[in-house]
Amino acid sequence: MSFDLGRFVVNPSMEELGLSSLQKSEILKIAKHFGIEYQSSMRKVEIKRGIGEMSRQ
């Protein structure tokens, strides 16, 4: 299954984010969309973790 950004924005799911093979630039766009603070030196998994924390709120 490919990643669907529109579906993710409407219903954020860590499972969907974790199973996708997104490039770091795509993950950064998601983080920026949700207003999640990050540094470009952070690893993908760290940024995904921040997105996951946001999706549980």
Side-chain angles (χ1 to χ4, degrees), residues 24-47:
K24 187 174 181 179
S25 62
E26 295 169 312
I27 296 170
L28 293 176
K29 287 179 186 177
I30 295 169
K32 185 175 182 178
H33 173 81
F34 286 111
I36 298 169
E37 294 183 22
Y38 62 86
Q39 296 176 0
S40 60
S41 61
M42 294 172 75
R43 294 180 180 264
K44 286 176 23 174
V45 69
E46 294 171 315
I47 301 166

Side-chain angles (χ1 to χ4, degrees), residues 3 7 29 54:
F3 182 77
R7 186 174 65 207
K29 287 179 186 177
M54 174 280 316

